[in-house]
Amino acid sequence: MPGWTRRGILAGGGAAAMTFGLRASAADDVALRSLGRGIRFGAAIDPEDLKDPVMRSLFQRHCSSLTPRNALKWTGTEKQPGVIQFDDADKIADFAREIGAGLYGHTLVWYRVPAWVDAITSADELRAAMNRHIDATVGHFAGRAYAWDVVNEVMDYDAAQWRPSVFYRLLGKDHVREAFERAHRADPKAILVINETHLEKAGANYDARRTMMLDLLRELRGAGVPVHAIGLQAHFRPGFDRLDAPALTAFLREVGKLGMGAYITEMDGSCRFAHRLPPTATQGDIYGQVFADMVRTVAATGTLRGVTTWGLREKFSKAEARQGHGCRARALLYDEDLTPLPALDALAGALRNTGSSRSKR
């Protein structure tokens, strides 16, 4: 199959012609960062990407926002108490500045923490560690990071209940308020986001999650807590779950009434359940349709501020292959050989039609 070669992109400075058999028209010269009309397009990035000139060129071409996938997580910055380093995150921040992209910080308070944090048993000690972590991280990137996922995944993965993290166990739900207020003090200009899974999907359990999140947002906003946007992770599993556009629309209209925006923060697709799809389904087109429908749905509510995919290039999962699924762990915009996938076309079309929905924040 004709493809897009590494030599071609290097020779063309990222503007090489690309084909991928099914539909190559939009992929020939698309640059996603130029299509959103006020909406940032970005992708998750790893330090390893910076060592590859082809990947650097792809990020430069497409992204007006970069999200460090792991470099800013607590497990990456403070493995031992008080020993803080931002080496990888600084490299990504420097690259973002080089290509004229914003830095989206991910993430400050999450249940996956270094072992020493999880072992804390005193509320006062945990609060002090959390505050120090937020002060150091947000303070270090103040003026460089335009937004932060302040609190990430406070709910259990598929249920409408609080996740029993060390923060919830010792500080209760008030740790959310404390984290946002602390982050705001560290950088008053940053957009502060609460990031969550499965708020966009169909099912009674997901209806309950939307209700729970709205109750929390109303409580926080009513108390004057500086939470500015909801983050919709948008990790899709075609063949297992699906977008509930009417329910997501109703949810985001209520979010908008609170004066908040929405970011699509980690969009990708798992192929794990693709074997459940109809035999006539074209897998690549299905993922593209899911991505496009998600963007169009959020944009139509007037709350969309940014779209981020959880990387640009697929990575093969040997574990899933052994299970007989023979699929890629994350369906994204380019395959392992850097051939553009139908999802690139579909996402480009959706971004072109978003209109301008940039908020004051």
Side-chain angles (χ1 to χ4, degrees):
M1 182 176 69
W4 176 46
T5 65
R6 294 171 65 89
R7 179 178 295 179
I9 188 173
L10 288 171
M18 300 177 281
T19 60
F20 58 93
L22 288 176
R23 294 191 311 272
S25 57
D28 286 339
D29 57 1
V30 66
L32 295 177
R33 67 185 292 164
S34 67
L35 302 179
R37 290 182 291 175
I39 295 169
R40 291 181 185 263
F41 175 79
I45 186 170
D46 297 303
E48 291 75 17
D49 291 316
L50 300 180
K51 301 173 185 177
D52 186 333
V54 177
M55 292 308 300
R56 290 174 69 98
S57 184
L58 266 187
F59 282 104
Q60 180 174 7
R61 178 177 192 166
H62 287 302
C63 296
S64 59
S65 177
L66 295 178
T67 300
R69 189 194 310 269
N70 294 308
L72 279 171
K73 292 173 180 174
W74 202 332
T75 51
T77 62
E78 193 181 4
K79 291 182 173 64
Q80 300 297 324
V83 182
I84 302 172
Q85 66 83 29
F86 299 112
D87 295 349
D88 286 341
D90 279 333
K91 292 174 184 176
I92 293 171
D94 289 344
F95 178 61
R97 183 174 63 248
E98 176 187 326
I99 67 172
L103 185 71
Y104 187 106
H106 174 83
T107 180
L108 295 172
V109 177
W110 189 31
Y111 73 96
R112 295 185 180 180
V113 290
W116 67 269
V117 179
D118 214 24
I120 294 174
T121 58
S122 161
D124 288 342
E125 183 181 351
L126 179 63
R127 181 178 289 108
M130 182 180 76
N131 288 343
R132 184 183 71 245
H133 172 66
I134 293 172
D135 288 349
T137 307
V138 179
H140 184 81
F141 291 95
R144 291 191 286 172
Y146 72 91
W148 285 96
D149 286 335
V150 176
V151 177
N152 190 50
E153 298 179 1
V154 297
M155 297 184 192
D156 266 342
Y157 195 61
D158 278 311
Q161 60 190 33
W162 286 86
R163 186 186 296 274
S165 67
V166 65
F167 303 102
Y168 186 69
R169 292 197 309 268
L170 297 183
L171 302 176
K173 69 178 184 179
D174 207 42
H175 79 274
V176 176
R177 175 191 61 79
E178 294 185 36
F180 273 92
E181 290 178 346
R182 197 78 184 194
H184 184 63
R185 282 198 291 270
D187 186 357
K189 294 183 179 180
I191 300 167
L192 305 182
V193 183
I194 184 167
N195 195 38
E196 190 54 74
T197 61
H198 300 330
L199 295 175
E200 60 280 324
K201 296 172 183 176
N205 53 332
Y206 303 136
D207 289 337
R209 287 171 69 80
R210 285 183 281 269
T211 297
M212 178 177 168
M213 179 56 71
L214 272 179
D215 288 344
L216 175 60
L217 294 179
R218 287 168 178 149
E219 180 180 338
L220 292 170
R221 294 287 289 183
V225 178
V227 51
H228 305 130
I230 183 73
L232 306 167
Q233 290 189 8
H235 292 297
F236 285 103
R237 302 165 292 188
F240 181 80
D241 55 26
R242 60 185 175 84
L243 174 69
D244 189 334
L248 179 59
T249 296
F251 170 77
L252 290 176
R253 283 175 177 163
E254 294 302 312
V255 168
K257 290 177 183 177
L258 295 173
M260 298 173 59
Y263 288 85
I264 299 172
T265 55
E266 304 180 25
M267 189 164 64
D268 62 13
S270 169
C271 306
R272 184 173 182 180
F273 301 96
H275 59 289
R276 298 183 181 181
L277 296 170
T280 56
T282 302
Q283 186 172 310
D285 288 325
I286 287 172
Y287 293 111
Q289 191 62 54
V290 168
F291 293 173
D293 286 348
M294 179 68 185
V295 170
R296 291 190 184 105
T297 298
V298 182
T301 68
T303 60
L304 184 61
R305 308 294 178 246
V307 177
T308 291
T309 54
W310 209 229
L312 292 176
R313 180 184 185 185
E314 289 185 343
K315 294 184 178 180
F316 185 73
S317 169
K318 293 181 180 179
E320 289 188 359
R322 285 195 298 269
Q323 293 167 11
H325 303 308
C327 72
R328 300 184 186 281
R330 300 294 180 191
L332 293 165
L333 306 181
Y334 295 85
D335 70 10
E336 285 187 346
D337 298 321
L338 292 172
T339 301
L341 297 169
L344 180 62
D345 253 353
L347 186 54
L351 286 169
R352 284 191 185 96
N353 296 323
T354 53
S356 179
S357 64
R358 180 177 292 177
S359 71
K360 293 180 180 178
R361 292 209 59 86

